[in-house]
Amino acid sequence: YTRCNFDVMNKIHFEIGETAVTIVSEADYIQVAKDAIFDARAIIQTKIQEDSYFKVSFEPIVAENGDDDLIKRMCSASVSAGVGPMAGVAGAIAVYAVERMCIAGARYAIVENGGDIALITDREISVGLYANDPSFENLAFRIPNTNGITGICSSSGLVGPSVSFGNSGICTVFSDDVILADACATALGNLVVKGESGEMSFALETIGNIAGVNGCAVYCNGLFAVYGDVPELVRSKVNVDGITKIEFN
């Protein structure tokens, strides 16, 4: 688990509009992350002003030639996952911030945006899971140091404000493409409706075999299942104020 020295590392909560993020890094990179979040939101808002369908579509949208690279990445993820581009918006904002932090020199940077996490870490951390179920408490994924930016993104049919057509306690997707992880977490959640073992197996295999997805996990109706390359699950006290939270022990 991570042992944070808060004289060196800062952990802050930052909100603007619909975006509510937790940023963890050395103090020098906090403002870099905030500025990047403003910039990412402006890029996405500009696209919505140009094409209102971009915001409301539940179907994939193909990017246009003149789109910003961030929009193109959101569209690419939507096509791969079979969902609308805004299914990846939280991950898009999070990874945009971490990328800027890395350019500025950060080697330990975490941005969590509504249960979707973009991170780069030079030490071990734990990422806690919350499914609003007393039989599935105080569990976390042990995340080793990373070679680059990676994503851990979650969707829930029972917790949080995001739209899901399923009924899972939590669906989590791991990918080095953070926006893809976010879009695929939504897609995975949409597939888990009854929470039966066969349905969960089909959902995990469907999403886990999408190019770029490393692994995925689902908890629903007392069943927990994983597919692909998924980090070790460990015991860890989890704060219950969100779907997926980074815990510092």
Side-chain angles (χ1 to χ4, degrees):
Y1 297 101
T2 301
R3 300 281 181 178
C4 278
N5 179 347
F6 285 101
D7 292 333
V8 177
M9 293 296 171
N10 282 3
K11 178 181 179 181
I12 70 158
H13 186 72
F14 173 63
E15 295 189 18
I16 172 176
E18 310 88 346
T19 303
V21 302
T22 298
I23 305 168
V24 184
S25 77
E26 294 178 3
D28 291 346
Y29 305 111
I30 296 294
Q31 190 59 49
V32 174
K34 288 183 176 180
D35 291 343
I37 289 166
F38 277 102
D39 291 345
R41 283 177 53 87
I43 290 168
I44 295 165
Q45 287 169 346
T46 296
K47 176 61 177 178
I48 291 170
Q49 289 171 358
E50 295 171 350
D51 179 8
S52 60
Y53 188 60
F54 183 87
K55 181 178 181 179
V56 299
S57 176
F58 290 131
E59 300 297 327
I61 291 179
V62 177
E64 299 178 1
N65 290 335
D67 283 335
D68 186 274
D69 181 65
L70 186 63
I71 300 301
K72 291 179 178 178
R73 292 160 66 186
M74 290 175 66
C75 290
S76 176
S78 83
V79 171
S80 294
V83 294
M86 289 296 283
V89 66
I93 292 171
V95 74
Y96 195 86
V98 173
E99 287 170 349
R100 286 275 193 89
M101 295 164 82
C102 287
I103 290 171
R107 291 296 173 265
Y108 181 89
I110 304 170
V111 176
E112 181 265 335
N113 185 6
D116 299 304
I117 300 168
L119 67 92
I120 182 171
T121 178
D122 58 3
R123 67 207 70 183
E124 191 175 87
I125 66 171
S126 61
V127 174
L129 299 171
Y130 177 63
N132 194 29
D133 187 331
S135 65
F136 191 77
E137 290 184 339
N138 298 326
L139 294 171
F141 289 111
R142 190 197 304 272
I143 310 299
N145 59 300
T146 63
N147 293 322
I149 298 171
T150 194
I152 306 169
C153 296
S154 297
S155 178
S156 174
L158 305 177
V159 183
S162 298
V163 175
S164 175
F165 297 121
N167 295 296
S168 67
I170 188 167
C171 293
T172 301
V173 175
F174 301 85
S175 175
D176 295 334
D177 181 338
V178 181
I179 305 175
L180 178 66
D182 190 4
C184 284
T186 298
L188 180 58
N190 289 343
L191 293 173
V192 181
V193 179
K194 297 180 180 179
E196 299 169 346
S197 59
E199 179 190 63
M200 288 171 63
S201 294
F202 171 78
L204 287 166
E205 290 184 20
T206 298
I207 302 304
N209 284 316
I210 292 174
V213 170
N214 297 332
C216 45
V218 173
Y219 176 79
C220 187
N221 292 339
L223 298 176
F224 181 69
V226 301
Y227 184 87
D229 185 6
V230 173
E232 178 188 4
L233 197 66
V234 297
R235 287 288 177 184
S236 177
K237 185 174 178 59
V238 176
N239 188 337
V240 297
D241 62 352
I243 300 174
T244 304
K245 293 295 180 186
I246 302 160
E247 299 300 318
F248 302 97
N249 302 305

